[in-house]
């Protein structure tokens, strides 16, 4: 089978598309001899900021000369984006060969699409003789397939409300699930400035030394640079005169600060220099996270898909005002908190262009428009059959100095980005 055939087949192999738990995949880890990797592992969990944190870690470690692998999900344009080695996407042949090995080993074990992907990442990374692998949790932490492997350093980014049907309806419950990636005597870093108590409690319960933003590390901004400080068991560490990350939004400094704390914890195994940090911050790239395509009409692509992500997007839009109007192309999945997202964007968007997404879980454009009008009766909103149609109409109605913002889902951004390439 080619890659497209493998992926289509995987989508049909398990009764539920999301089925959290490690009982199916743990035996396969042993059968494939993947349970004791020789490389270091950084596991990244969180509601928002995971992708940025992985990209920052990858850029700094790669810039320092280490053999780095990164596993992320979902992808924007190509499945291959999920597994990267030395900054390069895994090719179709690597993925297909790995899927074949997994399929032969699984016997009668049924696997989800995500479980196939995660095991393939483990397999490909093992064969690549890495120094360090950076693993992004797909959903939660405790029961996510990524958590099969013990993290040498665990990093939790910002905590918000999302995936309530699997993780719980409050930050304490969600924090407890995400803290499931902690391991005894292995350092854990939390970049959330107001972490749920459950994170601290779980760290203490398992014996993981926990480093929290604002308490154990932090940063200060200057006009053109920023400085970072951290307090470890071995004393204090400082980095001064750092360039701002090549990712837009002041919130990226919060992600970068937590990333530096994680790297300090890994320093005995993978030491980095001030120059390595500067190089990584200056070169990091992450499509779909406040990604700006400049022009007479500015286009902004952001995968914000929950209220906290929308709050961060709104904050970034206010930080970077335009002289014209802000037009929003918007589509979301039905199982997301679209009301919370729309409330977070109040006062930022002048006109809305809504549409459904090409997946079964999508909310319709009519439904999203109704939710917006219930919040803001005078909202300027139109509904279109597809994101592509909504995007084309927004661009046709935009005037010079306006900006068009695409957000609400990875699917929204992917469809709009494909029209822009």
């Amino acid at each position: 089978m080619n890659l497209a055939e493998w992926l289509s087949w995987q989508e049909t192999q398990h009764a539920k598309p999301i089925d959290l738990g490690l009982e199916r995949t743990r035996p396969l880890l042993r059968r494939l001899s993947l349970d004791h990797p020789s490389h270091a592992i950084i596991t990244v969990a969180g509601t928002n900021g995971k992708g940025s944190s992985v990209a920052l870690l990858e850029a700094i470690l790669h810039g320092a000369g280490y053999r780095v692998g990164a596993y992320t999900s979902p992808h924007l344009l190509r499945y291959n984006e999920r597994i990267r080695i030395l900054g390069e996407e895994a090719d179709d042949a690597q993925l297909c060969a790995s899927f074949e090995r997994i399929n032969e080993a699984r016997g009668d074990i049924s696997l989800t699409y995500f479980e196939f992907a995660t095991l393939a990442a483990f397999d490909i990374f093992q064969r690549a003789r890495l120094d360090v692998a950076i693993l992004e949790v797909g959903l939660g932490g405790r029961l996510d397939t990524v958590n099969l492997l013990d993290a040498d350093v665990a990093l939790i980014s910002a905590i918000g409300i999302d995936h309530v049907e699997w993780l719980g309806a409050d930050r304490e419950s969600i924090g407890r699930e995400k803290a499931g990636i902690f391991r005894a005597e292995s350092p854990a870093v939390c970049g959330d400035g107001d972490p749920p108590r459950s994170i601290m409690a779980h760290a203490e319960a398992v014996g993981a030394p926990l480093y929290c933003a604002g308490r154990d590390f932090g940063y200060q901004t200057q006009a053109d640079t920023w400085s970072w400080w951290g307090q470890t068991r071995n004393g204090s560490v400082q980095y001064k005169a750092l360039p701002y990350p090549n990712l837009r939004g002041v919130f990226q400094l919060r992600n970068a600060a937590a990333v530096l704390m994680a790297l300090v914890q890994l320093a005995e195994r993978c030491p980095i220099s001030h120059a390595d940090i500067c190089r990584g911050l200056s070169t990091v790239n992450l499509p779909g996270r406040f990604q700006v395509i400049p022009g007479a009409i500015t286009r902004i692509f952001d995968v914000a898909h929950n209220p906290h992500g929308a709050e961060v997007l709104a904050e970034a839009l206010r930080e970077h005002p335009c002289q014209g109007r802000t037009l929003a192309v918007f589509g979301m999945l039905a199982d997301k908190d679209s009301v919370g997202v729309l409330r977070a964007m109040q006062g930022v968007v002048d006109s809305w262009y809504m549409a459904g997404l090409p997946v079964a879980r999508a909310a319709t454009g009519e439904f999203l428009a109704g939710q917006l009008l219930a919040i803001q009766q005078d909202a300027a909103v139109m509904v279109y059959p597809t994101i592509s149609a909504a995007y084309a109409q927004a661009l046709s109605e935009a005037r010079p100095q306006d900006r068009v913002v695409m957000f609400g889902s990875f699917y929204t951004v992917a469809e709009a980005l494909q029209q822009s390439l």
Side-chain angles (χ1 to χ4, degrees):
M1 290 191 286
N2 61 30
L3 181 58
E5 290 168 337
W6 269 111
L7 298 178
S8 178
W9 176 80
Q10 288 170 20
E11 289 176 342
T12 68
Q13 291 306 297
H14 197 70
K16 295 187 288 185
I18 298 175
D19 192 5
L20 297 180
L22 306 181
E23 66 280 355
R24 293 183 305 278
T25 46
R26 197 182 300 281
L28 284 181
L29 204 66
R30 293 190 292 270
R31 292 181 197 175
L32 292 163
S33 300
L34 301 176
D35 47 341
H36 296 292
S38 57
H39 48 262
I41 292 175
I42 304 175
T43 301
V44 181
T47 307
N48 294 294
K50 290 183 299 181
S52 297
S53 298
V54 171
L56 287 160
L57 287 163
E58 184 182 13
I60 294 170
L61 286 164
H62 181 53
Y66 294 107
R67 291 185 60 81
V68 182
Y71 172 58
T72 59
S73 64
H75 58 276
L76 268 179
L77 303 179
R78 296 173 302 279
Y79 183 91
N80 310 60
E81 299 166 16
R82 295 176 179 234
I83 301 173
R84 299 186 298 277
I85 299 172
L86 301 180
E88 298 294 328
E89 298 171 5
D91 61 34
D92 288 11
Q94 285 177 297
L95 289 163
C96 291
S98 185
F99 291 151
E100 184 65 45
R101 287 189 288 272
I102 295 165
N103 191 43
E104 288 179 359
R106 73 181 179 89
D108 59 356
I109 297 174
S110 175
L111 298 176
T112 67
Y113 183 90
F114 179 78
E115 287 168 340
F116 263 105
T118 307
L119 290 170
F122 294 171
D123 177 53
I124 290 170
F125 289 164
Q126 184 91 313
R127 294 166 183 273
R129 301 185 183 278
L130 300 181
D131 296 309
V132 57
I134 308 160
L135 308 177
E136 179 188 352
V137 168
L139 198 162
R142 181 176 63 92
L143 298 176
D144 188 271
T145 311
V146 162
N147 201 36
L148 284 170
L149 297 182
D150 294 334
D152 294 283
V153 180
L155 169 61
I156 294 180
S157 58
I159 303 293
I161 307 297
D162 201 1
H163 301 297
V164 296
E165 59 270 50
W166 292 286
L167 305 181
D170 56 78
R171 293 179 80 243
E172 292 297 328
S173 300
I174 293 169
R176 189 175 301 109
E177 289 295 319
K178 296 186 184 302
I181 65 173
F182 295 170
R183 295 296 191 272
E185 300 182 9
S186 292
V189 176
C190 181
D192 193 301
D194 181 26
R197 292 187 301 274
S198 58
I199 288 180
M200 277 83 82
H202 189 74
E204 184 175 356
V206 302
L210 178 64
Y211 299 89
C212 293
R215 185 189 72 184
D216 304 301
F217 65 91
Y219 64 92
Q220 297 87 32
T221 59
Q222 290 83 44
D224 300 314
T225 63
W226 63 291
S227 302
W228 179 90
W229 61 270
Q231 191 67 38
T232 73
R233 287 177 290 184
N234 300 321
S236 60
V237 184
Q238 286 189 335
Y239 293 112
K240 296 183 178 180
L242 297 171
Y244 280 82
N246 187 41
L247 299 173
R248 291 175 181 258
V250 69
F251 60 92
Q252 293 294 357
L253 287 178
R254 306 168 206 159
N255 293 326
V259 159
L260 291 185
M261 194 64 186
L263 291 171
V264 166
Q265 302 306 316
L266 198 65
E268 289 187 9
R269 193 160 179 178
C270 297
I272 57 170
S273 67
H274 183 275
D276 297 331
I277 295 170
C278 292
R279 188 181 305 112
L281 291 173
S282 299
T283 58
V284 64
N285 179 57
L286 185 61
R289 275 69 166 188
F290 208 77
Q291 179 183 352
V292 177
I293 298 180
I297 298 165
T298 301
R299 289 169 288 167
I300 300 173
F301 302 84
D302 197 287
V303 295
H305 56 272
N306 54 49
H308 183 266
E311 289 168 6
V312 171
L313 173 58
E315 177 186 1
L317 291 170
R318 293 187 187 101
E319 285 171 19
H320 303 279
C322 67
Q323 295 183 6
R325 302 168 299 158
T326 297
L327 315 181
V329 176
F330 181 64
M332 280 193 76
L333 297 178
D335 55 6
K336 299 294 182 180
D337 182 6
S338 50
V339 171
V341 167
L342 292 167
R343 288 191 187 280
M345 295 294 287
Q346 275 191 292
V348 178
V349 176
D350 297 296
S351 295
W352 293 84
Y353 301 76
M354 295 187 173
L357 302 173
V359 290
R361 294 166 55 205
T364 66
E366 290 80 3
F367 174 78
L368 294 172
Q371 289 190 312
L372 175 63
L373 291 170
I375 297 168
Q376 182 184 346
Q377 293 182 354
D378 62 346
V381 57
M382 292 292 292
V383 175
Y384 299 88
T386 64
I387 290 294
S388 296
Y391 181 42
Q393 188 63 30
L395 288 176
S396 72
E397 294 183 7
R399 301 186 291 265
Q401 299 185 330
D402 286 350
R403 61 185 174 188
V404 179
V405 183
M406 280 62 63
F407 79 104
S409 170
F410 276 80
Y411 295 106
T412 307
V413 170
E415 189 169 339
L417 267 177
Q418 286 173 332
Q419 303 302 312
S420 303
L421 298 177

